[in-house]
Amino acid sequence: MFGLFKKFKDGFAKTVSAIAAKTAAIFGQKPIDASSLETLEEALYTADFGVETTEEILAEIKAAYKKDKALHGQQAAQIGAAVLKRVLAGAEGVLTEAAAKPTVIAMIGVNGSGKTTTSAKLAWKLKEDGKTVTLAACDTFRAAAVEQLKAWATRLELEIVASHTGADSAAVAFDAWQAAKSRERDYLIVDTAGRLHTKSNLMQELAKIRRVLQKHDASAPQHRWLVVDGSLGSNSIEQAKAFHQSFGLTGLIVTKLDGTSRGGALVGIYRQLKLPIYFLGLGEQAEDLQPFSVDNYVKAVFGLE
Ligand SMILES: Nc1nc2c(ncn2[C@@H]2O[C@H](COP(=O)(O)OP(=O)(O)OP(=O)(O)O)[C@@H](O)[C@H]2O)c(=O)[nH]1
Ligand SMILES: [Mg+2]
């Protein structure tokens, strides 16, 4: 567990150090004061935690400080951590397998959010865990998208079902399911083309992929995950709502958290959507995908380990 926390903290370092640069002194041993509360507030805003969450954290620390002027920084950090944990209750997605194989995971989202990379990373992770996985290259829209996933599959020795650019993406999904089924694979991971949530024809294409999979298995795809670029912060909320409406999301993946100091944004995204976060993208390598742990996230934010 400690190893995972360290890996998470390293990947999340930009946000952690941006917060710590302001708060390390506050959370040190000396009692806090009014100005350190202001600094904490500023640190949380800067890291994109948003008004609601920042105010809730500050309100509880201030209340404790009002009662006890000798409140230590460490106690303040513990209070903040407890508030953030409460806000994130239910935010931790736990991957479950469907009764019948394969369990289908569809990755959807806007252009460049990290769907293809995440599909490959997740397939690799599941394989490391002893599961059998097939990838479906359903981005038949963007030139070189099929090649991109194939390159990952070759490098990581993953199984893939692909057609050519311009092929019907739903047909690829249909074939890939059949292949995964006949080989008794545990998982089928469906990579889809990036699309703007405002383009209704492209949103309909997603619905078609879902319909076609349902012909095989009425519950497929069991997991419908929106892949969100974490460095874009709270801007992703509106698009997430649109995807949710047309595809019925079941969860989120937040990527590129290694490249931003605004890693607090995922709290706002969760508050708005109330969809569990399954994994975090913390880099571009196969091993840079971690299950989302509220505990690790909160500890890292408040410098508790
Ligand atoms: N630093 C970092 N880069 C990432 C992460 N996830 C994805 N990327 C990079 O982001 C870029 C886009 O990733 P893709 O996986 O191609 O994104 P996509 O959503 O499939 O893109 P489209 O298919 O074009 O919509 C690539 O350069 C990835 O290496 C991450 O967690 N951290
Ligand atoms: Mg892609």
Side-chain angles (χ1 to χ4, degrees):
M1 198 61 203
F2 182 74
L4 260 191
F5 177 62
K6 184 173 179 320
K7 228 172 164 293
F8 168 68
K9 217 172 144 181
D10 289 349
F12 197 52
K14 282 197 180 163
T15 298
V16 169
S17 58
I19 297 174
K22 295 200 173 83
T23 59
I26 308 169
F27 293 151
Q29 284 306 300
K30 68 177 176 135
I32 60 165
D33 56 25
S35 102
S36 53
L37 286 172
E38 250 171 53
T39 310
L40 171 61
E41 186 169 11
E42 197 190 302
L44 294 173
Y45 276 125
T46 309
D48 216 4
F49 278 91
V51 180
E52 264 182 309
T53 305
T54 302
E55 283 185 356
E56 278 175 36
I57 290 170
L58 263 295
E60 293 213 10
I61 297 177
K62 277 180 187 167
Y65 177 60
K66 216 171 158 184
K67 275 194 216 144
D68 174 13
K69 290 283 191 257
L71 189 76
H72 275 218
Q74 273 300 302
Q75 289 172 296
Q78 296 287 355
I79 294 168
V83 175
L84 194 52
K85 263 193 191 173
R86 202 173 62 216
V87 168
L88 288 172
E92 218 172 86
V94 179
L95 182 56
T96 51
E97 283 181 27
K101 291 180 186 184
T103 300
V104 185
I105 302 172
M107 302 282 185
I108 68 173
V110 299
N111 305 81
S113 64
K115 297 171 294 297
T116 303
T117 311
T118 303
S119 298
K121 286 177 185 170
L122 179 62
W124 183 79
K125 185 177 194 54
L126 290 169
K127 196 177 141 198
E128 289 284 291
D129 291 346
K131 301 292 180 186
T132 51
V133 187
T134 301
L135 284 164
C138 291
D139 182 356
T140 53
F141 184 73
R142 183 169 62 79
V146 173
E147 293 314 314
Q148 185 191 357
L149 193 63
K150 273 188 180 168
W152 273 107
T154 305
R155 187 141 57 86
L156 302 176
E157 295 180 15
L158 303 166
E159 185 175 274
I160 181 168
V161 173
S163 183
H164 53 88
T165 305
D168 178 6
S169 57
V172 178
F174 190 85
D175 292 348
W177 191 95
Q178 216 144 30
K181 179 73 183 176
S182 67
R183 297 168 193 165
E184 298 182 14
R185 301 302 183 230
D186 298 314
Y187 287 95
L188 174 67
I189 300 177
V190 179
D191 179 33
T192 68
R195 66 200 74 224
L196 269 180
H197 55 292
T198 47
K199 292 266 159 65
S200 71
N201 55 329
L202 296 180
M203 295 303 263
Q204 274 159 23
E205 190 198 55
L206 273 184
K208 186 177 168 195
I209 291 176
R210 186 171 178 189
R211 270 200 317 277
V212 158
L213 286 165
Q214 283 172 332
K215 284 186 190 164
H216 283 307
D217 175 352
S219 65
Q222 290 84 5
H223 298 286
R224 300 176 294 279
W225 293 348
L226 186 70
V227 181
V228 179
D229 180 338
S231 68
L232 299 180
S234 35
N235 296 331
S236 314
I237 292 171
E238 282 315 307
Q239 25 163 295
K241 284 182 179 164
F243 276 105
H244 196 24
Q245 222 160 34
S246 57
F247 203 62
L249 300 175
T250 62
L252 301 169
I253 305 275
V254 184
T255 62
K256 308 187 194 182
L257 281 175
D258 53 308
T260 180
S261 57
R262 302 171 67 80
L266 74 79
V267 179
I269 295 173
Y270 174 69
R271 285 190 89 125
Q272 290 274 325
L273 301 169
K274 285 284 183 264
L275 286 168
I277 301 164
Y278 281 82
F279 293 94
L280 302 180
L282 295 164
E284 295 183 87
Q285 303 306 313
E287 63 274 17
D288 296 333
L289 186 75
Q290 268 206 17
F292 177 55
S293 153
V294 169
D295 217 43
N296 284 350
Y297 181 78
V298 168
K299 274 197 297 196
V301 167
F302 286 95
L304 290 174
E305 225 168 85

